[in-house]
Amino acid sequence: MDALAAIPPIYFGLPEHAIEAYWTSMMEVTNLDFIIYNIPQTTGYALSENLFKRMMAKEQVIGVKNSSMPVMDINMWKLRAGKDNIVFSGPDEQFVGGRVMGADAGIGGTYGVYPELLMEADRCVREDDLEKALQIQLKINDLISELTSFKGNLYDVMKLILAKRGVSVGRARNPLPHVEDDEMDHVEVVRQHIDDAIAEFTK
């Protein structure tokens, strides 16, 4: 293991000094590089600039995995770190926007079912072909809408599609609901849409 990423404690609404102490205790025990995981929509805490700066002053802290919805947060984490750092863009729907705003890379939940699209979008950003990068992002967003349209959980849908793409990884675990029998034909439709998008953008 090379690095550790952690969200703040959830359930209890803790003051920032307690969140800092929690993260610091992890670093002291593991002695690993540490990446702050900012995902306020699920944790209830949005990383503040003050706590960010205090954390970045610690040698083991190397960056942020940012999954907040405002893309401007990425720009803030890059510009105000006070040292070289790594920022990962989190929301899959904003990969291109995050990269343009300064993210070094992305970590996303849906990347695994169409990595070719993300790699091509990243290449386009690096080579300043933003028009094509945006076209790919819009297609990805359409696919995300399809992937989240099932009664079954997104991760079960993706596992079924991965199996159809030759990577068998089982099914989602409880309490995540499985795709229902009457939805299975639609899984194949979405898989075909993914294949079509890959063929369109990675010729």
Side-chain angles (χ1 to χ4, degrees):
M1 183 183 300
D2 297 318
L4 172 68
I7 62 172
I10 57 175
Y11 187 77
F12 296 106
L14 298 177
E16 288 191 343
H17 67 83
I19 296 170
E20 181 179 3
Y22 173 74
W23 281 338
T24 301
S25 68
M26 291 183 187
M27 291 187 284
E28 291 173 346
V29 170
T30 64
N31 202 34
L32 293 170
D33 287 339
F34 187 85
I35 298 171
I36 299 165
Y37 191 166
N38 184 44
I39 184 166
Q41 59 269 37
T42 61
T43 64
Y45 171 75
L47 179 64
S48 73
E49 185 177 348
N50 285 336
L51 180 54
F52 170 71
K53 286 182 175 178
R54 292 201 304 274
M55 291 299 298
M56 289 306 298
K58 303 174 190 297
E59 184 177 351
Q60 285 173 255
V61 180
I62 62 170
V64 180
K65 195 257 178 157
N66 190 72
S67 292
S68 64
M69 295 313 290
V71 181
M72 64 169 285
D73 284 353
I74 289 172
N75 197 240
M76 181 162 60
W77 309 144
K78 286 302 290 184
L79 293 177
R80 301 183 184 175
K83 65 180 183 182
D84 287 340
N85 69 335
I86 302 166
V87 177
F88 296 102
S89 179
D92 299 26
E93 302 87 342
Q94 298 180 8
F95 172 77
V96 170
R99 288 284 282 117
V100 171
M101 289 294 278
D104 299 283
I107 299 174
T110 65
Y111 292 7
V113 292
Y114 39 66
E116 300 92 337
L117 294 178
L118 274 299
M119 292 173 65
E120 181 63 13
D122 188 69
R123 183 194 67 77
C124 289
V125 170
R126 286 185 282 106
E127 297 180 5
D128 293 324
D129 187 354
L130 296 184
E131 181 177 354
K132 183 177 179 182
L134 180 58
Q135 290 174 353
I136 297 170
Q137 182 70 73
L138 293 175
K139 177 57 68 175
I140 287 170
N141 292 356
D142 284 342
L143 293 171
I144 291 171
S145 293
E146 290 192 75
L147 290 166
T148 57
S149 68
F150 293 78
K151 293 177 185 175
N153 179 266
L154 166 66
Y155 292 97
D156 195 53
V157 177
M158 292 194 300
K159 284 172 179 280
L160 290 169
I161 290 173
L162 282 170
K164 289 175 177 290
R165 297 202 70 200
V167 182
S168 182
V169 289
R171 300 291 295 273
R173 297 180 183 177
N174 286 331
L176 302 181
H178 282 188
V179 171
E180 298 184 0
D181 290 343
D182 63 357
E183 298 180 300
M184 288 298 183
D185 288 345
H186 190 55
V187 173
E188 174 58 22
V189 170
V190 177
R191 183 205 63 79
Q192 186 59 57
H193 289 168
I194 290 170
D195 285 354
D196 291 346
I198 291 168
E200 177 182 358
F201 289 108
T202 63
K203 295 174 183 176

PDB file of all heavy atoms in Angstrom, residues 65-93:
ATOM      1  N   LYS A  65      -8.693  13.974  -2.862  1.00  0.00           N
ATOM      2  CA  LYS A  65      -9.631  13.403  -3.813  1.00  0.00           C
ATOM      3  C   LYS A  65     -10.919  14.191  -3.620  1.00  0.00           C
ATOM      4  O   LYS A  65     -11.589  14.073  -2.603  1.00  0.00           O
ATOM      5  CB  LYS A  65      -9.852  11.919  -3.574  1.00  0.00           C
ATOM      6  CG  LYS A  65     -10.533  11.233  -4.773  1.00  0.00           C
ATOM      7  CD  LYS A  65     -11.980  10.972  -4.546  1.00  0.00           C
ATOM      8  CE  LYS A  65     -12.588  10.351  -5.790  1.00  0.00           C
ATOM      9  NZ  LYS A  65     -13.803   9.585  -5.563  1.00  0.00           N
ATOM     10  N   ASN A  66     -11.237  15.051  -4.586  1.00  0.00           N
ATOM     11  CA  ASN A  66     -12.341  15.981  -4.411  1.00  0.00           C
ATOM     12  C   ASN A  66     -13.583  15.518  -5.150  1.00  0.00           C
ATOM     13  O   ASN A  66     -13.600  15.473  -6.370  1.00  0.00           O
ATOM     14  CB  ASN A  66     -11.965  17.370  -4.902  1.00  0.00           C
ATOM     15  CG  ASN A  66     -13.011  18.377  -4.502  1.00  0.00           C
ATOM     16  OD1 ASN A  66     -13.123  18.721  -3.338  1.00  0.00           O
ATOM     17  ND2 ASN A  66     -13.811  18.830  -5.449  1.00  0.00           N
ATOM     18  N   SER A  67     -14.636  15.198  -4.384  1.00  0.00           N
ATOM     19  CA  SER A  67     -15.903  14.792  -4.979  1.00  0.00           C
ATOM     20  C   SER A  67     -17.019  15.781  -4.673  1.00  0.00           C
ATOM     21  O   SER A  67     -18.190  15.447  -4.809  1.00  0.00           O
ATOM     22  CB  SER A  67     -16.297  13.392  -4.490  1.00  0.00           C
ATOM     23  OG  SER A  67     -15.426  12.419  -5.003  1.00  0.00           O
ATOM     24  N   SER A  68     -16.659  16.985  -4.250  1.00  0.00           N
ATOM     25  CA  SER A  68     -17.686  18.013  -4.092  1.00  0.00           C
ATOM     26  C   SER A  68     -18.164  18.426  -5.477  1.00  0.00           C
ATOM     27  O   SER A  68     -17.436  18.307  -6.463  1.00  0.00           O
ATOM     28  CB  SER A  68     -17.131  19.223  -3.329  1.00  0.00           C
ATOM     29  OG  SER A  68     -16.101  19.842  -4.060  1.00  0.00           O
ATOM     30  N   MET A  69     -19.381  18.906  -5.565  1.00  0.00           N
ATOM     31  CA  MET A  69     -19.921  19.250  -6.873  1.00  0.00           C
ATOM     32  C   MET A  69     -19.356  20.548  -7.447  1.00  0.00           C
ATOM     33  O   MET A  69     -19.214  20.665  -8.663  1.00  0.00           O
ATOM     34  CB  MET A  69     -21.454  19.303  -6.813  1.00  0.00           C
ATOM     35  CG  MET A  69     -22.086  17.937  -6.517  1.00  0.00           C
ATOM     36  SD  MET A  69     -21.435  16.565  -7.526  1.00  0.00           S
ATOM     37  CE  MET A  69     -22.102  16.976  -9.138  1.00  0.00           C
ATOM     38  N   PRO A  70     -18.999  21.573  -6.644  1.00  0.00           N
ATOM     39  CA  PRO A  70     -18.423  22.782  -7.255  1.00  0.00           C
ATOM     40  C   PRO A  70     -17.018  22.505  -7.828  1.00  0.00           C
ATOM     41  O   PRO A  70     -16.091  22.184  -7.084  1.00  0.00           O
ATOM     42  CB  PRO A  70     -18.338  23.771  -6.087  1.00  0.00           C
ATOM     43  CG  PRO A  70     -19.272  23.245  -5.047  1.00  0.00           C
ATOM     44  CD  PRO A  70     -19.236  21.756  -5.204  1.00  0.00           C
ATOM     45  N   VAL A  71     -16.875  22.638  -9.138  1.00  0.00           N
ATOM     46  CA  VAL A  71     -15.589  22.383  -9.777  1.00  0.00           C
ATOM     47  C   VAL A  71     -14.534  23.383  -9.298  1.00  0.00           C
ATOM     48  O   VAL A  71     -13.341  23.075  -9.266  1.00  0.00           O
ATOM     49  CB  VAL A  71     -15.731  22.439 -11.316  1.00  0.00           C
ATOM     50  CG1 VAL A  71     -14.402  22.156 -12.003  1.00  0.00           C
ATOM     51  CG2 VAL A  71     -16.763  21.441 -11.788  1.00  0.00           C
ATOM     52  N   MET A  72     -14.982  24.575  -8.860  1.00  0.00           N
ATOM     53  CA  MET A  72     -14.023  25.574  -8.393  1.00  0.00           C
ATOM     54  C   MET A  72     -13.230  25.088  -7.194  1.00  0.00           C
ATOM     55  O   MET A  72     -12.119  25.565  -6.956  1.00  0.00           O
ATOM     56  CB  MET A  72     -14.738  26.880  -8.032  1.00  0.00           C
ATOM     57  CG  MET A  72     -15.704  26.768  -6.871  1.00  0.00           C
ATOM     58  SD  MET A  72     -16.292  28.373  -6.262  1.00  0.00           S
ATOM     59  CE  MET A  72     -14.844  28.929  -5.377  1.00  0.00           C
ATOM     60  N   ASP A  73     -13.765  24.115  -6.433  1.00  0.00           N
ATOM     61  CA  ASP A  73     -13.019  23.594  -5.287  1.00  0.00           C
ATOM     62  C   ASP A  73     -11.677  23.018  -5.732  1.00  0.00           C
ATOM     63  O   ASP A  73     -10.668  23.160  -5.044  1.00  0.00           O
ATOM     64  CB  ASP A  73     -13.826  22.523  -4.554  1.00  0.00           C
ATOM     65  CG  ASP A  73     -14.946  23.117  -3.701  1.00  0.00           C
ATOM     66  OD1 ASP A  73     -15.006  24.361  -3.568  1.00  0.00           O
ATOM     67  OD2 ASP A  73     -15.765  22.344  -3.175  1.00  0.00           O
ATOM     68  N   ILE A  74     -11.662  22.355  -6.880  1.00  0.00           N
ATOM     69  CA  ILE A  74     -10.421  21.765  -7.394  1.00  0.00           C
ATOM     70  C   ILE A  74      -9.374  22.844  -7.584  1.00  0.00           C
ATOM     71  O   ILE A  74      -8.209  22.696  -7.211  1.00  0.00           O
ATOM     72  CB  ILE A  74     -10.681  21.012  -8.706  1.00  0.00           C
ATOM     73  CG1 ILE A  74     -11.476  19.729  -8.412  1.00  0.00           C
ATOM     74  CG2 ILE A  74      -9.377  20.698  -9.435  1.00  0.00           C
ATOM     75  CD1 ILE A  74     -11.963  19.009  -9.639  1.00  0.00           C
ATOM     76  N   ASN A  75      -9.796  23.954  -8.163  1.00  0.00           N
ATOM     77  CA  ASN A  75      -8.885  25.065  -8.386  1.00  0.00           C
ATOM     78  C   ASN A  75      -8.319  25.573  -7.071  1.00  0.00           C
ATOM     79  O   ASN A  75      -7.124  25.850  -6.965  1.00  0.00           O
ATOM     80  CB  ASN A  75      -9.641  26.176  -9.126  1.00  0.00           C
ATOM     81  CG  ASN A  75      -8.726  27.179  -9.767  1.00  0.00           C
ATOM     82  OD1 ASN A  75      -8.781  28.351  -9.456  1.00  0.00           O
ATOM     83  ND2 ASN A  75      -7.881  26.722 -10.685  1.00  0.00           N
ATOM     84  N   MET A  76      -9.171  25.638  -6.046  1.00  0.00           N
ATOM     85  CA  MET A  76      -8.706  26.116  -4.739  1.00  0.00           C
ATOM     86  C   MET A  76      -7.690  25.156  -4.140  1.00  0.00           C
ATOM     87  O   MET A  76      -6.664  25.563  -3.612  1.00  0.00           O
ATOM     88  CB  MET A  76      -9.890  26.285  -3.777  1.00  0.00           C
ATOM     89  CG  MET A  76      -9.493  26.802  -2.401  1.00  0.00           C
ATOM     90  SD  MET A  76     -10.887  27.470  -1.471  1.00  0.00           S
ATOM     91  CE  MET A  76     -11.959  26.051  -1.348  1.00  0.00           C
ATOM     92  N   TRP A  77      -7.956  23.857  -4.224  1.00  0.00           N
ATOM     93  CA  TRP A  77      -7.026  22.885  -3.633  1.00  0.00           C
ATOM     94  C   TRP A  77      -5.682  22.915  -4.354  1.00  0.00           C
ATOM     95  O   TRP A  77      -4.641  22.669  -3.755  1.00  0.00           O
ATOM     96  CB  TRP A  77      -7.598  21.473  -3.654  1.00  0.00           C
ATOM     97  CG  TRP A  77      -8.979  21.290  -3.104  1.00  0.00           C
ATOM     98  CD1 TRP A  77      -9.933  20.423  -3.567  1.00  0.00           C
ATOM     99  CD2 TRP A  77      -9.579  21.954  -1.974  1.00  0.00           C
ATOM    100  NE1 TRP A  77     -11.077  20.530  -2.820  1.00  0.00           N
ATOM    101  CE2 TRP A  77     -10.897  21.455  -1.835  1.00  0.00           C
ATOM    102  CE3 TRP A  77      -9.155  22.937  -1.080  1.00  0.00           C
ATOM    103  CZ2 TRP A  77     -11.773  21.884  -0.847  1.00  0.00           C
ATOM    104  CZ3 TRP A  77     -10.029  23.385  -0.093  1.00  0.00           C
ATOM    105  CH2 TRP A  77     -11.311  22.864   0.014  1.00  0.00           C
ATOM    106  N   LYS A  78      -5.675  23.205  -5.658  1.00  0.00           N
ATOM    107  CA  LYS A  78      -4.407  23.276  -6.397  1.00  0.00           C
ATOM    108  C   LYS A  78      -3.641  24.560  -6.084  1.00  0.00           C
ATOM    109  O   LYS A  78      -2.428  24.540  -5.909  1.00  0.00           O
ATOM    110  CB  LYS A  78      -4.651  23.207  -7.913  1.00  0.00           C
ATOM    111  CG  LYS A  78      -5.021  21.842  -8.433  1.00  0.00           C
ATOM    112  CD  LYS A  78      -3.996  20.765  -8.135  1.00  0.00           C
ATOM    113  CE  LYS A  78      -2.713  20.897  -8.906  1.00  0.00           C
ATOM    114  NZ  LYS A  78      -1.775  19.775  -8.647  1.00  0.00           N
ATOM    115  N   LEU A  79      -4.349  25.676  -5.998  1.00  0.00           N
ATOM    116  CA  LEU A  79      -3.678  26.968  -5.884  1.00  0.00           C
ATOM    117  C   LEU A  79      -3.261  27.313  -4.464  1.00  0.00           C
ATOM    118  O   LEU A  79      -2.327  28.082  -4.263  1.00  0.00           O
ATOM    119  CB  LEU A  79      -4.591  28.078  -6.425  1.00  0.00           C
ATOM    120  CG  LEU A  79      -4.885  28.041  -7.921  1.00  0.00           C
ATOM    121  CD1 LEU A  79      -5.852  29.168  -8.288  1.00  0.00           C
ATOM    122  CD2 LEU A  79      -3.602  28.168  -8.729  1.00  0.00           C
ATOM    123  N   ARG A  80      -3.944  26.768  -3.476  1.00  0.00           N
ATOM    124  CA  ARG A  80      -3.726  27.230  -2.107  1.00  0.00           C
ATOM    125  C   ARG A  80      -3.096  26.183  -1.197  1.00  0.00           C
ATOM    126  O   ARG A  80      -3.176  26.282   0.017  1.00  0.00           O
ATOM    127  CB  ARG A  80      -5.052  27.724  -1.518  1.00  0.00           C
ATOM    128  CG  ARG A  80      -5.648  28.848  -2.344  1.00  0.00           C
ATOM    129  CD  ARG A  80      -6.896  29.407  -1.757  1.00  0.00           C
ATOM    130  NE  ARG A  80      -7.472  30.416  -2.639  1.00  0.00           N
ATOM    131  CZ  ARG A  80      -8.625  31.027  -2.434  1.00  0.00           C
ATOM    132  NH1 ARG A  80      -9.337  30.736  -1.366  1.00  0.00           N
ATOM    133  NH2 ARG A  80      -9.069  31.925  -3.282  1.00  0.00           N
ATOM    134  N   ALA A  81      -2.489  25.178  -1.776  1.00  0.00           N
ATOM    135  CA  ALA A  81      -1.916  24.100  -0.973  1.00  0.00           C
ATOM    136  C   ALA A  81      -0.646  24.530  -0.255  1.00  0.00           C
ATOM    137  O   ALA A  81      -0.307  24.001   0.798  1.00  0.00           O
ATOM    138  CB  ALA A  81      -1.630  22.889  -1.844  1.00  0.00           C
ATOM    139  N   GLY A  82       0.086  25.449  -0.832  1.00  0.00           N
ATOM    140  CA  GLY A  82       1.355  25.858  -0.238  1.00  0.00           C
ATOM    141  C   GLY A  82       2.496  24.905  -0.549  1.00  0.00           C
ATOM    142  O   GLY A  82       3.616  25.091  -0.080  1.00  0.00           O
ATOM    143  N   LYS A  83       2.216  23.865  -1.331  1.00  0.00           N
ATOM    144  CA  LYS A  83       3.251  22.918  -1.754  1.00  0.00           C
ATOM    145  C   LYS A  83       2.705  22.124  -2.929  1.00  0.00           C
ATOM    146  O   LYS A  83       1.503  22.168  -3.226  1.00  0.00           O
ATOM    147  CB  LYS A  83       3.631  21.969  -0.606  1.00  0.00           C
ATOM    148  CG  LYS A  83       2.504  21.039  -0.154  1.00  0.00           C
ATOM    149  CD  LYS A  83       2.963  20.125   0.984  1.00  0.00           C
ATOM    150  CE  LYS A  83       1.882  19.148   1.399  1.00  0.00           C
ATOM    151  NZ  LYS A  83       2.289  18.290   2.524  1.00  0.00           N
ATOM    152  N   ASP A  84       3.584  21.416  -3.619  1.00  0.00           N
ATOM    153  CA  ASP A  84       3.125  20.550  -4.698  1.00  0.00           C
ATOM    154  C   ASP A  84       2.169  19.520  -4.124  1.00  0.00           C
ATOM    155  O   ASP A  84       2.433  18.928  -3.067  1.00  0.00           O
ATOM    156  CB  ASP A  84       4.307  19.838  -5.366  1.00  0.00           C
ATOM    157  CG  ASP A  84       5.133  20.773  -6.229  1.00  0.00           C
ATOM    158  OD1 ASP A  84       4.607  21.842  -6.609  1.00  0.00           O
ATOM    159  OD2 ASP A  84       6.296  20.438  -6.513  1.00  0.00           O
ATOM    160  N   ASN A  85       1.060  19.305  -4.806  1.00  0.00           N
ATOM    161  CA  ASN A  85       0.103  18.312  -4.325  1.00  0.00           C
ATOM    162  C   ASN A  85      -0.611  17.674  -5.506  1.00  0.00           C
ATOM    163  O   ASN A  85      -0.477  18.103  -6.642  1.00  0.00           O
ATOM    164  CB  ASN A  85      -0.896  18.944  -3.345  1.00  0.00           C
ATOM    165  CG  ASN A  85      -1.854  19.911  -4.009  1.00  0.00           C
ATOM    166  OD1 ASN A  85      -1.562  20.490  -5.045  1.00  0.00           O
ATOM    167  ND2 ASN A  85      -3.013  20.106  -3.405  1.00  0.00           N
ATOM    168  N   ILE A  86      -1.362  16.643  -5.191  1.00  0.00           N
ATOM    169  CA  ILE A  86      -2.135  15.912  -6.193  1.00  0.00           C
ATOM    170  C   ILE A  86      -3.605  16.160  -5.898  1.00  0.00           C
ATOM    171  O   ILE A  86      -4.040  16.032  -4.750  1.00  0.00           O
ATOM    172  CB  ILE A  86      -1.845  14.404  -6.122  1.00  0.00           C
ATOM    173  CG1 ILE A  86      -0.357  14.126  -6.324  1.00  0.00           C
ATOM    174  CG2 ILE A  86      -2.674  13.639  -7.144  1.00  0.00           C
ATOM    175  CD1 ILE A  86       0.049  12.714  -5.924  1.00  0.00           C
ATOM    176  N   VAL A  87      -4.374  16.497  -6.930  1.00  0.00           N
ATOM    177  CA  VAL A  87      -5.812  16.626  -6.759  1.00  0.00           C
ATOM    178  C   VAL A  87      -6.495  15.713  -7.769  1.00  0.00           C
ATOM    179  O   VAL A  87      -6.231  15.791  -8.971  1.00  0.00           O
ATOM    180  CB  VAL A  87      -6.295  18.081  -6.949  1.00  0.00           C
ATOM    181  CG1 VAL A  87      -7.818  18.154  -6.843  1.00  0.00           C
ATOM    182  CG2 VAL A  87      -5.652  19.000  -5.915  1.00  0.00           C
ATOM    183  N   PHE A  88      -7.342  14.829  -7.257  1.00  0.00           N
ATOM    184  CA  PHE A  88      -8.146  13.954  -8.097  1.00  0.00           C
ATOM    185  C   PHE A  88      -9.553  14.520  -8.200  1.00  0.00           C
ATOM    186  O   PHE A  88     -10.148  14.894  -7.191  1.00  0.00           O
ATOM    187  CB  PHE A  88      -8.220  12.541  -7.502  1.00  0.00           C
ATOM    188  CG  PHE A  88      -6.904  11.831  -7.426  1.00  0.00           C
ATOM    189  CD1 PHE A  88      -6.226  11.736  -6.221  1.00  0.00           C
ATOM    190  CD2 PHE A  88      -6.342  11.255  -8.545  1.00  0.00           C
ATOM    191  CE1 PHE A  88      -5.012  11.080  -6.133  1.00  0.00           C
ATOM    192  CE2 PHE A  88      -5.123  10.588  -8.471  1.00  0.00           C
ATOM    193  CZ  PHE A  88      -4.455  10.504  -7.266  1.00  0.00           C
ATOM    194  N   SER A  89     -10.095  14.561  -9.402  1.00  0.00           N
ATOM    195  CA  SER A  89     -11.482  14.967  -9.596  1.00  0.00           C
ATOM    196  C   SER A  89     -12.377  13.768  -9.326  1.00  0.00           C
ATOM    197  O   SER A  89     -12.128  12.670  -9.830  1.00  0.00           O
ATOM    198  CB  SER A  89     -11.682  15.460 -11.034  1.00  0.00           C
ATOM    199  OG  SER A  89     -13.022  15.834 -11.245  1.00  0.00           O
ATOM    200  N   GLY A  90     -13.434  13.976  -8.541  1.00  0.00           N
ATOM    201  CA  GLY A  90     -14.294  12.867  -8.148  1.00  0.00           C
ATOM    202  C   GLY A  90     -15.554  12.681  -8.975  1.00  0.00           C
ATOM    203  O   GLY A  90     -15.780  11.609  -9.513  1.00  0.00           O
ATOM    204  N   PRO A  91     -16.417  13.704  -9.111  1.00  0.00           N
ATOM    205  CA  PRO A  91     -17.688  13.466  -9.809  1.00  0.00           C
ATOM    206  C   PRO A  91     -17.467  13.026 -11.256  1.00  0.00           C
ATOM    207  O   PRO A  91     -16.847  13.750 -12.039  1.00  0.00           O
ATOM    208  CB  PRO A  91     -18.392  14.827  -9.735  1.00  0.00           C
ATOM    209  CG  PRO A  91     -17.771  15.521  -8.561  1.00  0.00           C
ATOM    210  CD  PRO A  91     -16.344  15.062  -8.543  1.00  0.00           C
ATOM    211  N   ASP A  92     -17.972  11.868 -11.610  1.00  0.00           N
ATOM    212  CA  ASP A  92     -17.775  11.336 -12.957  1.00  0.00           C
ATOM    213  C   ASP A  92     -18.327  12.287 -14.018  1.00  0.00           C
ATOM    214  O   ASP A  92     -17.780  12.389 -15.110  1.00  0.00           O
ATOM    215  CB  ASP A  92     -18.464   9.979 -13.097  1.00  0.00           C
ATOM    216  CG  ASP A  92     -17.917   8.947 -12.134  1.00  0.00           C
ATOM    217  OD1 ASP A  92     -17.390   9.338 -11.070  1.00  0.00           O
ATOM    218  OD2 ASP A  92     -18.024   7.749 -12.430  1.00  0.00           O
ATOM    219  N   GLU A  93     -19.425  12.973 -13.659  1.00  0.00           N
ATOM    220  CA  GLU A  93     -20.074  13.887 -14.598  1.00  0.00           C
ATOM    221  C   GLU A  93     -19.240  15.133 -14.868  1.00  0.00           C
ATOM    222  O   GLU A  93     -19.577  15.917 -15.762  1.00  0.00           O
ATOM    223  CB  GLU A  93     -21.444  14.324 -14.056  1.00  0.00           C
ATOM    224  CG  GLU A  93     -22.408  13.191 -13.763  1.00  0.00           C
ATOM    225  CD  GLU A  93     -22.265  12.614 -12.359  1.00  0.00           C
ATOM    226  OE1 GLU A  93     -21.215  12.843 -11.703  1.00  0.00           O
ATOM    227  OE2 GLU A  93     -23.208  11.922 -11.915  1.00  0.00           O
TER     228      GLU A  93
END
